[in-house]
Amino acid sequence: NMIQSIKVAFSSLIAHRRKTWAILASVALGTAALFLVGGYYEYNYWGLKQSLIRSQYGHLQIYPAGYRETRDVDPFAHSFENAEGLEAELRHEPGVRTIAPRSKAMGIVNGLPVEIWGVDPESEAELFTFFTSRRGTALAAEDSRSCQMSPVMAKSLGVELDDTVSLSGVRADGQLNMVDLTVQSLIGSYAEVFNLMVLIVPESVFQDLFGTSAIHEISVLYRDDSGLFARRDALEKKLAKAGWETDIAVWSEQAKYFRQVVDYYQGFYHIVLAIVAIIVIFATGTTMSLSLLERTREFGTCLSMGVTRSRLVREILLEALLAGFFGLVAGLALSFVSASAINMAGGIPMPAAPGMSTGISVFIRFSRQAAILSLITAIFVPLVAVIAPARRIVSKSVVCLLNKGEQ
């Protein structure tokens, strides 16, 4: 019966310790390699995504209808008439973590063109949690003469913390206005364009400079990023039904260079993963095949003692399945230890990706794609590898097998 066959297969693995260790090592190392390579790339994509979501976009960006078409020409042509009411509506949405209202307009700081964001400092601090560096004091709503910029912008302007900068812009009524602000905070983002272009001020400073309390964007950060497009569609319908004319974008639709980076590196990832998988398949398959071919006399002895050929094949397949399973378990343990060691050591230093301002330390993160590939490789490759040798063995006579397959 099946239980007896499993016992025999397990006993065979124990009896041939040297060959079993070789098979387990091959499967375990291959599984670990696939997990680590997949986890390395998975963290790259995850880190890049989070650095954009949690510094610029949030998960969803809600604009007044028509704003994105006219913002470069007239940023004050469209704004939310009752932003507080919309924010209250959004806070009742399931899964919402943070609502960050923003006012946006172009301006000039010490002769450098910048995009000025008027924000609620408390909400923005909850959203802006992925940064490369942070110096100074965080902005507060009561700061009426302070600003926040990136170290890159500060270097371009030749200013440091607590220095004064002159910020000018065209008011909503068409008049030119100027205010002097103190550099209170230096926070670096991973995104190069953001560091070069965005100057953040409290909403009260924006109102003083541009003479308007218009809110142009409400960024929504959820507790997780699952089903964002479905959430966007449902929210659009709900707000339209409530009388709000909105234009809602998912963060990935706006971060074009994120898609470019992912598309660029995805090809390398698939190539590397395919190379590793092929090496693992050939190494495991060769080890399994040679192990069986070296045991032809043993199989001949089993047949001569009355073991049927079908039972022999079944036990060979079960032996391969058990070897793959134990190799998978060992590979998972090796992957966990290796990933933990890499993560505890501070990750793998990497240079800045295209469109990013600084390099990062890459950690190992669970990859579902690599996990599936590892499972398939560990379980099915040993099975497939023994099919041809098993057929060759059972097709030969007992005498031939006892003579080690010699004709």
Side-chain angles (χ1 to χ4, degrees):
N1 56 32
M2 182 59 69
I3 296 178
Q4 183 64 30
S5 296
I6 293 175
K7 290 181 178 179
V8 172
F10 185 75
S11 300
S12 180
L13 289 176
I14 296 176
H16 301 87
R17 292 183 179 87
R18 183 175 60 84
K19 296 182 178 65
T20 299
W21 280 115
I23 295 170
L24 293 181
S26 176
V27 175
L29 290 174
T31 301
L34 291 173
F35 260 104
L36 293 176
V37 170
Y40 167 82
Y41 279 98
E42 182 68 22
Y43 185 88
N44 270 284
Y45 301 143
W46 176 85
L48 177 58
K49 178 175 73 173
Q50 294 300 321
S51 69
L52 297 174
I53 291 174
R54 294 181 174 270
S55 65
Q56 299 180 55
Y57 300 111
H59 289 118
L60 298 181
Q61 303 81 52
I62 305 176
Y63 304 100
Y67 170 75
R68 287 200 285 176
E69 289 75 17
T70 62
R71 62 183 171 186
D72 294 332
V73 179
D74 184 3
F76 304 109
H78 299 87
S79 62
F80 291 114
E81 295 181 0
N82 180 18
E84 293 81 4
L86 179 55
E87 291 173 39
E89 182 84 19
L90 292 171
R91 286 192 173 91
H92 290 91
E93 280 294 298
V96 169
R97 180 174 182 175
T98 301
I99 304 294
R102 294 167 175 169
S103 304
K104 292 184 175 182
M106 296 300 296
I108 296 177
V109 55
N110 287 10
L112 178 70
V114 295
E115 184 178 28
I116 304 167
W117 288 14
V119 304
D120 170 31
E122 184 177 346
S123 299
E124 201 68 26
E126 292 179 5
L127 188 148
F128 199 156
T129 55
F130 259 61
F131 46 81
T132 59
S133 62
R134 185 170 189 167
R135 295 169 53 203
T137 306
L139 293 178
E142 58 270 16
D143 293 329
S144 59
R145 287 293 180 266
S146 300
C147 69
Q148 171 185 301
M149 63 178 66
S150 72
V152 176
M153 182 181 291
K155 184 177 180 180
S156 299
L157 297 172
V159 298
E160 293 287 346
L161 278 174
D162 300 325
D163 286 351
T164 300
V165 295
S166 296
L167 184 61
S168 59
V170 179
R171 291 164 51 98
D173 58 11
Q175 298 183 32
L176 183 64
N177 195 14
M178 179 179 292
V179 295
D180 289 334
L181 303 176
T182 300
V183 180
Q184 181 170 309
S185 178
L186 295 177
I187 298 183
S189 165
Y190 288 94
E192 184 177 7
V193 175
F194 182 87
N195 285 338
L196 292 172
M197 287 297 299
V198 176
L199 179 75
I200 298 177
V201 299
E203 186 61 41
S204 59
V205 176
F206 189 93
Q207 293 176 13
D208 290 344
L209 179 61
F210 292 103
T212 178
S213 59
I215 299 296
H216 303 114
E217 174 189 323
I218 297 178
S219 181
V220 180
L221 181 69
Y222 288 97
R223 299 187 185 279
D224 62 80
D225 57 7
S226 60
L228 290 180
F229 285 94
R231 287 177 173 178
R232 187 268 305 274
D233 295 340
L235 185 58
E236 275 185 334
K237 294 177 181 178
K238 182 177 180 179
L239 294 179
K241 189 175 180 180
W244 297 97
E245 295 183 0
T246 61
D247 174 19
I248 305 179
V250 177
W251 74 272
S252 57
E253 296 175 323
Q254 308 230 66
K256 294 181 180 179
Y257 60 89
F258 170 79
R259 299 197 300 273
Q260 293 171 351
V261 170
V262 170
D263 292 342
Y264 180 76
Y265 283 107
Q266 193 75 9
F268 289 104
Y269 168 57
H270 287 151
I271 291 174
V272 171
L273 205 60
I275 292 174
V276 173
I278 290 172
I279 293 174
V280 171
I281 289 171
F282 274 98
T284 305
T286 301
T287 305
M288 289 294 302
S289 299
L290 291 177
S291 174
L292 285 185
L293 293 176
E294 291 176 1
R295 294 166 56 193
T296 53
R297 180 171 292 176
E298 173 191 336
F299 298 136
T301 302
C302 291
L303 292 175
S304 66
M305 296 176 64
V307 176
T308 63
R309 294 179 184 269
S310 61
R311 179 179 175 181
L312 181 62
V313 171
R314 183 170 67 246
E315 290 176 357
I316 291 174
L317 294 177
L318 286 173
E319 187 177 331
L321 185 62
L322 288 175
F325 173 76
F326 291 126
L328 176 62
V329 173
L332 291 176
L334 180 60
S335 301
F336 177 78
V337 172
S338 301
S340 298
I342 292 173
N343 293 343
M344 291 177 63
I348 305 171
M350 291 294 296
M356 308 304 287
S357 64
T358 183
I360 60 174
S361 292
V362 178
F363 296 87
I364 306 300
R365 183 177 173 85
F366 174 76
S367 169
R368 182 180 299 178
Q369 183 180 15
I372 294 174
L373 183 58
S374 299
L375 178 63
I376 293 174
T377 301
I379 299 300
F380 291 101
V381 168
L383 280 176
V384 174
V386 299
I387 291 177
R391 290 183 60 185
R392 191 180 306 118
I393 288 170
V394 297
S395 65
K396 293 181 178 180
S397 65
V398 174
V399 174
C400 181
L401 291 174
L402 291 174
N403 290 323
K404 293 188 177 182
E406 297 175 0
Q407 296 292 341

